[in-house]
Structures are given as structure tokens and as C-alpha cells.
Amino acid sequence: MPRIIFISADGSEQAEFNVPPGLTVLEIAHKYGLDIEGACGGAMACSTCHVLVDRRYFDKIPKPLEEEDDMLDLTFGVAKTSRLGCQIVVTDALDGLTLRLPPETKNRQER
Ligand code: FES
């Protein structure tokens, strides 16, 4: 099972999990109680699942759909390696995938 590593926004905490392929990063975060909200449940309508992908793994992940890029354009703290966690499906090829949580997220559905 591929290993996935989450690093807290300030870099002070790290958590590693071996997960079955086929789950999304958002599903993994929820399974292990990590602080990734995922307010829209993976519908690419919120960006509260924003994660920063380690450069070594960024190009191994299939390219984002236009809708994902559009949503990231509206997100705080975006970097070149930003992705939506609900759109990253973990595969064996992503063994060692390392993700950092962003400093903050904003739910655009909130008022
Ligand atoms: S959970 Fe809302 S965009 Fe990913």
C-alpha cells in the first residue's frame, strides 16, 4: 500500500499512513481525522481541501481539470504545486506522496 505523508502548515507536525490505492487525499484525511475540511464533499466547489504537493511528486499526479484550476485561482495561499485534495487519487505510483496543509483555507460557500 502506498505511503502518504501529511505535514502541518507550520511544518511542526508530520503524519504518515499506508493507504489502499484508489482513495483520494480528502478521503484519507477524513479517515484519519486530519484538519482538511472538504466542505463540498469533492465537488470542486469549495477549495477547503487545498493541499501543497511536494515538488518531487507534483508531476506524478495527473494534471488538474480546468474546473480545479479555476477553483484554485480563488484560493488563499496558492503555490505552484497547489492541488485540491479531493482530486488527487492515491496510486502505487504515488508511494511517498508528501503534502503540506496550507496556512488557511476559505470556504467560498460561507457568507
Ligand atoms: S472538497 Fe470541495 S473542492 Fe475539494
Side-chain angles (χ1 to χ4, degrees):
M1 292 202 292
R3 187 171 54 109
I4 183 165
I5 300 149
F6 291 89
I7 300 172
S8 62
D10 65 4
S12 65
E13 292 177 63
Q14 184 168 321
E16 294 187 23
F17 308 100
N18 286 90
V19 299
L23 293 178
T24 67
V25 164
L26 178 63
E27 289 168 332
I28 294 162
H30 284 173
K31 181 177 164 84
Y32 292 103
L34 301 178
D35 189 20
I36 298 180
E37 184 181 353
C40 76
M44 280 194 281
C46 73
S47 82
T48 59
C49 62
H50 174 210
V51 291
L52 303 163
V53 178
D54 185 290
R55 265 177 231 281
R56 292 170 296 164
Y57 295 92
F58 187 72
D59 289 335
K60 295 182 179 179
I61 300 171
K63 300 268 179 276
L65 297 174
E66 194 177 330
E67 292 90 336
E68 181 178 351
D69 275 338
D70 289 348
M71 191 52 65
L72 286 169
D73 284 345
L74 305 171
T75 305
F76 287 127
V78 172
K80 283 185 178 157
T81 63
S82 287
R83 292 296 303 262
L84 295 178
C86 65
Q87 300 303 308
I88 303 173
V89 177
V90 175
T91 62
D92 288 325
L94 292 178
D95 183 39
L97 176 64
T98 304
L99 306 161
R100 185 182 287 257
L101 305 190
E104 65 177 311
T105 61
K106 181 173 186 190
N107 184 354
R108 295 192 54 81
Q109 295 175 325
E110 288 175 359
R111 295 176 192 209

